[in-house]
Amino acid sequence: MQKEILRSVEANTYFKLDPRTKLMLMLIINISIFGGAIIYIMLLMAAIPLFLLFVNKKIKPALYCTLAYTLAILINEFLVPVTYGILNIFIVMVSGMLYRMMPGFIMGYYLISTTTVSEFIASMEHMHVPQKIIIPMAVMFRFFPTIGEEARSISNAMRMRRVGFSSGGFFKNPILMLEYRLIPLLMSTVKIGDELSAASLTRGLGGPVKRTNICEIGFGIQDIILSIIAVTTFIGFILL
């Protein structure tokens, strides 16, 4: 068996977090930001997932997300107060969505892209979460990355047939363009759902016998430091 199958994609990095710490961070970040935290609390909360992307060598998405979030903050702080009418509503809507939702999405991306399904299941079992909750979450955990891979494959196939945004096909016939991309993706979604459900049963999920797991999970000094920072910031959010 290849060792890579059993290891997390972040196993080669020196900053490896336990899946339970990632879940706690995502919960705290979303509660703080959607709870109407002040700007300084929001910036601290947004800095956590961006920092995690950088230290795990996901430089390209980290740079894009940092740029987009910085623009959203600048627009929200400086452009919104000086605009009026429909333009103001549009800017508030777009910048507000980026401003409030991006940190949670970035943390979710980090969680899914750096945690294997086996590690996720092991962490859930350590927390004594019922199997009825673990199984659907494990299937969903693998579902979104698989859909992303399928969408990229469909996009590559359409590009080879010169059916793409760059070739101008979208402007010539947008309905046909959506059909070529959307219908195969919907069919693949149904098929992938069935395959992942069958794969989870094949791996023993939901069986009467307790599964064994060789994944190495556990808390390290990095988990403690980030937890202290997040909890301290969350207490500041509650008090301020």
Side-chain angles (χ1 to χ4, degrees):
M1 184 180 293
Q2 295 179 354
K3 292 182 179 179
E4 288 76 6
I5 295 175
L6 305 176
R7 293 189 303 185
S8 167
V9 292
E10 65 173 352
N12 293 326
T13 66
Y14 55 88
F15 204 92
K16 179 179 170 63
L17 290 181
D18 187 275
R20 289 164 287 184
T21 306
K22 298 174 188 176
L23 288 172
M24 185 198 70
L25 290 175
M26 192 164 72
L27 186 64
I28 288 178
I29 288 171
N30 281 302
I31 290 176
S32 302
I33 291 181
F34 282 101
I38 61 175
I39 181 68
Y40 302 108
I41 299 291
M42 290 185 65
L43 289 177
L44 277 173
M45 289 297 183
I48 292 175
L50 292 172
F51 167 75
L52 291 172
L53 287 184
F54 276 113
V55 296
N56 280 276
K57 301 176 183 176
K58 296 183 179 298
I59 305 299
K60 196 172 180 181
L63 287 175
Y64 285 152
C65 291
T66 303
L67 180 62
Y69 196 69
T70 304
L71 281 175
I73 291 173
L74 293 176
I75 290 171
N76 196 65
E77 291 294 319
F78 298 107
L79 193 58
V80 169
V82 297
T83 54
Y84 304 94
I86 296 176
L87 180 62
N88 179 265
I89 294 172
F90 178 75
I91 292 175
V92 168
M93 185 176 65
V94 174
S95 65
M97 285 178 62
L98 291 173
Y99 191 53
R100 297 281 177 187
M101 299 177 72
M102 266 196 75
F105 278 120
I106 298 170
M107 193 64 213
Y109 167 72
Y110 168 76
L111 170 67
I112 291 176
S113 63
T114 60
T115 308
T116 63
V117 178
S118 297
E119 288 175 340
F120 180 76
I121 292 173
S123 64
M124 291 290 104
E125 289 176 343
H126 275 69
M127 291 192 293
H128 303 288
V129 177
Q131 289 288 323
K132 291 180 180 178
I133 298 177
I134 292 177
I135 294 173
M137 287 184 71
V139 173
M140 286 179 60
F141 207 80
R142 190 70 189 93
F143 180 77
F144 292 109
T146 308
I147 286 295
E149 293 173 7
E150 193 68 21
R152 281 192 292 274
S153 300
I154 293 172
S155 179
N156 292 334
M158 291 301 103
R159 193 175 298 116
M160 290 175 64
R161 294 172 180 269
R162 297 183 180 276
V163 181
F165 292 97
S166 58
S167 62
F170 177 77
F171 300 102
K172 293 177 182 175
N173 196 339
I175 301 298
L176 196 63
M177 180 79 175
L178 290 175
E179 180 184 343
Y180 283 160
R181 286 176 178 266
L182 201 58
I183 299 301
L185 188 61
L186 290 175
M187 296 299 291
S188 298
T189 301
V190 176
K191 188 178 177 183
I192 288 169
D194 293 339
E195 290 177 352
L196 289 178
S197 299
S200 64
L201 294 176
T202 305
R203 295 187 178 191
L205 285 175
V209 181
K210 186 177 180 181
R211 294 174 71 249
T212 57
N213 201 320
I214 62 173
C215 288
E216 295 180 0
I217 61 171
F219 297 107
I221 184 67
Q222 61 272 21
D223 294 276
I224 297 171
I225 293 173
L226 269 181
S227 298
I228 290 173
I229 294 173
V231 171
T232 305
T233 310
F234 186 67
I235 292 172
F237 157 68
I238 295 173
L239 297 178
L240 294 177

